[in-house]
Amino acid sequence: MDKEDLISVIVPCYNIEKYVSRCIESIMNQTYKDLEIIAVNDGSTDRTGEILDEMAKKDGRLLVRHFDNQGPSAARNRGLDLMTGSYVMCIDGDDFVDSSMIAKMYEKLEQTRVSMAACNFWLYYGEGNKKVGNPNTDQMDDMPSEMAIELLFDSSKKFCTPWGKLYRKELWDGLRYPENVQFGEDMLIAPLLFDRAKKICFLSDAYYYYNQEGESLVRSDFNINKLCMITACKYWVEFCNKKYPRIQEKAKWCYWERMINICTFLTDVKYTKEYKEYQFIIRENVQGILRSKIRYVDKVKALFIAYFDQATYKKIRMVLRK
C-alpha cells in the first residue's frame, strides 16, 4: 500500500449497536480502497465493541481501540493520535456514507491542490426518507477561509461538523479537539482548521448520510452542556475580531441570536443564574441587537428577555405559543 495515498478514517463509537455495522460497512465498501479505518469504542455499554471486534476479523483495514468513556472529542483525538495516513476524515458511528464519497473527495482535493475538501449531505430519516442538507448550494473549488468561517454563522448549513470533510493530515499538526467541552467542540475547532487551510473545495453533491433516526446528543432535549454553544459563538467573535474583521459583525449577530434562543430554554427556575447572566448581556447590547440583521422575531425575544424577569418571560412565551 502506498503510504502517500493512505486515508485514515476515524469513527468514534458509543452505544450505537443498531447502526455501527451499517457505518463500518459503508466505509469498507468504498471504491477507494487504500483506507485505514480507526474505530474508537468510547466505553460503550451495549454490544458496539463486540460488533466492531467481529468486523475487524473480516477486514484487516479496520483497527479497533477500546477506551473508557470520555466523550466524542476524546474519541476523535485518540483516532488522530493513531492515524498514519496522509489524509484523514471523521465519520460518526451512527451515520453512513455513499460508496464513492472518499474517491470523489480525494479526486477533488488532488485536482484543486487545496488542504481540505467538504461535501454536501443527506438528512437521513429512514429507508426512502431523506432530504438534502444544503439545497441550492453551488460547488466551489477554491472557497477562501473567510467565506468558510462566515458559513459557520448559519446553523442550517452545518458547516462546522467534523464529518463530511477530507483533510490533509498537516492541518491537524498540534491541533486537537478540546476534551473539557461536552457540546459544540466542533464549533471551537472549525475556524482554526479553516484558517489553516486558506482555501477549501466544496462538492455540492451529497455523499454523507447524517442519521436522524433515534436520539443523539445534538437532537436531544435541552441540557446545560448546550450552553457551550454560547461560549463557542463568543470565541467566533473574538477570532474574527483578530483575523477576519470584515465578518466580525456577523459573528456578533450569531452570538446574540444563539444567546437569545438559548434563553428560551432557561425559563425553569433551576437555570436562574444562567438566565440572569445572559439577560444582562442582552440588555447591555439591546440597541445593537435591534439595529442588527438578525430575525425580527429574535429582536422581539431580546426585548422581552432584557426587560422582564425569568418568570414573566416564561408566562409571555406560554401565552404567545397558544
Side-chain angles (χ1 to χ4, degrees), residues 177-192:
Y177 286 97
E179 296 185 15
N180 61 333
V181 176
Q182 299 302 313
F183 192 90
E185 70 284 349
D186 47 353
M187 297 171 68
L188 294 169
I189 209 78
L192 298 175

Side-chain angles (χ1 to χ4, degrees), residues 10 73-74 76-83 169-179 185 188-189 192-193 196:
I10 299 170
S73 289
R76 292 191 192 101
N77 287 344
R78 300 298 88 79
L80 289 166
D81 293 340
L82 289 165
M83 72 173 183
K169 69 174 183 179
E170 293 81 8
L171 284 182
W172 289 96
D173 287 348
L175 192 61
R176 293 293 185 267
Y177 286 97
E179 296 185 15
E185 70 284 349
L188 294 169
I189 209 78
L192 298 175
L193 288 166
R196 283 188 176 190

Side-chain angles (χ1 to χ4, degrees), residues 221-256:
D221 292 336
F222 176 79
N223 66 72
I224 201 69
N225 289 328
K226 292 190 176 183
L227 297 185
C228 293
M229 289 191 297
I230 305 301
T231 303
C233 288
K234 183 179 180 182
Y235 171 70
W236 289 352
V237 176
E238 296 165 351
F239 186 81
C240 290
N241 187 46
K242 291 179 181 178
K243 303 208 69 173
Y244 298 96
R246 188 189 69 82
I247 59 173
Q248 190 260 354
E249 194 70 11
K250 289 185 178 180
K252 191 182 296 182
W253 298 343
C254 176
Y255 171 55
W256 288 337

Side-chain angles (χ1 to χ4, degrees), residues 108-300:
K108 180 57 70 173
L109 192 151
E110 288 299 285
Q111 175 189 333
T112 58
R113 306 308 300 171
V114 298
S115 298
M116 183 193 303
C119 72
N120 211 335
F121 65 96
W122 294 105
L123 289 164
Y124 182 79
Y125 298 93
E127 192 65 37
N129 186 6
K130 64 181 182 180
K131 65 178 181 179
V132 70
N134 288 321
N136 306 317
T137 305
D138 295 330
Q139 182 157 308
M140 291 191 65
D141 288 347
D142 58 352
M143 181 191 300
S145 297
E146 184 177 74
M147 181 181 292
I149 291 171
E150 191 172 355
L151 284 174
L152 296 177
F153 310 151
D154 183 350
S155 59
S156 69
K157 298 293 185 186
K158 288 185 169 53
F159 205 61
C160 70
T161 59
W163 46 260
K165 299 179 178 70
L166 178 64
Y167 312 90
R168 295 187 189 274
K169 69 174 183 179
E170 293 81 8
L171 284 182
W172 289 96
D173 287 348
L175 192 61
R176 293 293 185 267
Y177 286 97
E179 296 185 15
N180 61 333
V181 176
Q182 299 302 313
F183 192 90
E185 70 284 349
D186 47 353
M187 297 171 68
L188 294 169
I189 209 78
L192 298 175
L193 288 166
F194 295 166
D195 180 60
R196 283 188 176 190
K198 305 305 179 188
K199 289 186 182 295
I200 298 161
C201 61
F202 176 76
L203 286 72
S204 56
D205 290 332
Y207 296 111
Y208 190 98
Y209 287 76
Y210 180 34
N211 186 22
Q212 303 298 295
E213 302 170 290
E215 290 190 3
S216 73
L217 183 58
V218 173
R219 298 188 299 276
S220 63
D221 292 336
F222 176 79
N223 66 72
I224 201 69
N225 289 328
K226 292 190 176 183
L227 297 185
C228 293
M229 289 191 297
I230 305 301
T231 303
C233 288
K234 183 179 180 182
Y235 171 70
W236 289 352
V237 176
E238 296 165 351
F239 186 81
C240 290
N241 187 46
K242 291 179 181 178
K243 303 208 69 173
Y244 298 96
R246 188 189 69 82
I247 59 173
Q248 190 260 354
E249 194 70 11
K250 289 185 178 180
K252 191 182 296 182
W253 298 343
C254 176
Y255 171 55
W256 288 337
E257 197 169 48
R258 293 287 180 95
M259 190 181 305
I260 290 163
N261 283 287
I262 281 288
C263 282
T264 300
F265 299 98
L266 297 178
T267 53
D268 192 291
V269 67
K270 64 182 176 182
Y271 299 127
T272 298
K273 177 184 174 183
E274 290 81 7
Y275 182 89
K276 287 184 176 180
E277 176 186 345
Y278 297 147
Q279 180 187 45
F280 176 79
I281 296 171
I282 291 168
R283 186 183 296 153
E284 287 288 295
N285 292 280
V286 71
Q287 292 304 318
I289 291 170
L290 294 177
R291 290 193 300 268
S292 73
K293 294 184 179 180
I294 68 173
R295 298 182 309 164
Y296 176 78
V297 66
D298 290 326
K299 293 179 182 181
V300 174

Side-chain angles (χ1 to χ4, degrees), residues 23-40:
C23 176
I24 299 299
E25 286 174 1
S26 76
I27 303 170
M28 290 177 172
N29 293 332
Q30 290 293 300
T31 56
Y32 189 97
K33 300 300 182 184
D34 291 343
L35 303 177
E36 170 186 66
I37 309 166
I38 305 172
V40 182

